[in-house]
Amino acid sequence: MPERITLYTAKICPYAHRVEIALAEAKAEFKRFEIDLKNKPEWYAPKVNPASKVPAIAYGGPDVPPDQPSPESIKIAESLVLIEFVADLFPSASLLPSDPVLRAKARFFYDAVGTKYNPAYFSYVIRGDGSQEGLFKGIEELQALLPEKGYAVGDWSIADAAWTPFIARLLAALELDVGAYAVGEGPETLKTLLSDARFARFQQYWKDVSSRPSFTSTFDKEYIKSAFTKRFADIKRAQK
């Protein structure tokens, strides 16, 4: 039986959201502690994650308040490490396929999220040094890996947890037209992604992953919208 789990997370962070989705799919019991990324507790880096990033998990040890982490618990960080850790802790939840080929495909898929989609997303939405077509290409590369139906490797797996939080934040930003791209481009990009036949498989995939309780129970869309609006307010004022 898995030991005590404390998750250190942040609503705004798509990497941390990966782990929340995995834990929800596993129906795991855990303590959740929100880290303010702009004002991190002094104890967080020395006692939980020396890199001072989320997500991180304190595993095992005595039952203590999350803001008083025990040295007896094992501290583990990095989102892809953690979603595989959750899959290993809860094998009956089938968060990774039992078939070795499908397991390899799942890992290949979330590697592609990091190497194909995320660079395009951050470049277009966050930094503003990318292009709409660059984003489209990144999405098409992931779309090409999807089977005709179902999730990343057929049945739902942590490969889907790896991508879903980033899609959610992209679509929220585009809907509000907040991001480092030109004013007015967000809704145009959103319309293309959600209606153009070029992205038909992506559209169905998004409907499937976004309807799962593990996503709907862990994604605070209004919070994300508010956070994105505040983050890009100065950029949008300068563009007008």
Side-chain angles (χ1 to χ4, degrees):
M1 182 176 177
E3 297 185 41
R4 210 170 268 110
I5 298 171
T6 299
L7 174 66
Y8 296 91
T9 184
K11 285 183 181 181
I12 191 65
C13 179
Y15 296 99
H17 193 188
R18 287 171 162 175
V19 187
E20 296 203 40
I21 290 174
L23 287 166
E25 288 283 346
K27 296 179 171 56
E29 293 185 10
F30 66 99
K31 291 181 181 179
R32 182 189 184 283
F33 189 85
E34 181 81 8
I35 296 293
D36 183 346
L37 299 182
K38 293 184 177 179
N39 186 27
K40 297 170 189 171
E42 292 183 3
W43 50 264
Y44 185 65
K47 293 187 177 182
V48 178
N49 184 4
S52 197
K53 298 189 296 184
V54 294
I57 278 178
Y59 182 69
D63 187 7
V64 295
D67 60 352
Q68 299 173 33
S70 169
E72 296 177 42
S73 61
I74 305 298
K75 313 304 190 299
I76 309 169
E78 297 299 329
S79 65
L80 295 181
V81 172
L82 288 173
I83 59 176
E84 289 211 9
F85 179 60
V86 172
D88 289 340
L89 285 179
F90 300 94
S92 63
S94 301
L95 303 187
L96 268 176
S98 58
D99 178 77
V101 172
L102 290 178
R103 289 172 79 91
K105 285 187 174 182
R107 292 183 172 114
F108 184 83
F109 188 87
Y110 50 74
D111 178 76
V113 173
T115 59
K116 305 297 184 183
Y117 172 83
N118 282 357
Y121 163 74
F122 283 111
S123 181
Y124 181 63
V125 175
I126 307 300
R127 296 195 306 271
D129 56 4
S131 65
Q132 184 187 72
E133 192 55 40
L135 175 71
F136 289 164
K137 181 180 178 182
I139 291 173
E140 284 184 308
E141 294 205 53
L142 268 293
Q143 179 177 251
L145 297 177
L146 296 171
E148 289 186 11
K149 295 186 294 184
Y151 300 97
V153 292
D155 291 336
W156 191 94
S157 72
I158 55 173
D160 302 294
W163 194 19
T164 302
F166 291 91
I167 302 174
R169 284 156 179 78
L170 168 67
L171 300 184
L174 296 176
E175 181 182 335
L176 284 176
D177 199 29
V178 293
Y181 42 77
V183 172
E185 195 169 298
E188 173 192 318
T189 303
L190 181 66
K191 181 179 179 181
T192 300
L193 288 175
L194 296 185
S195 62
D196 195 298
R198 176 181 176 186
F199 299 103
R201 183 64 186 93
F202 169 78
Q203 292 155 16
Q204 184 58 53
Y205 178 78
W206 173 241
K207 288 179 183 177
D208 292 340
V209 294
S210 64
S211 65
R212 292 184 73 87
S214 61
F215 172 75
T216 58
S217 65
T218 57
F219 183 59
D220 188 339
K221 186 176 181 179
E222 294 310 311
Y223 177 89
I224 296 299
K225 283 184 172 182
S226 176
F228 271 41
T229 300
K230 291 176 183 176
R231 176 169 185 168
F232 293 105
D234 291 341
I235 292 175
K236 290 305 177 187
R237 279 195 294 268
Q239 289 177 342
K240 291 181 179 179

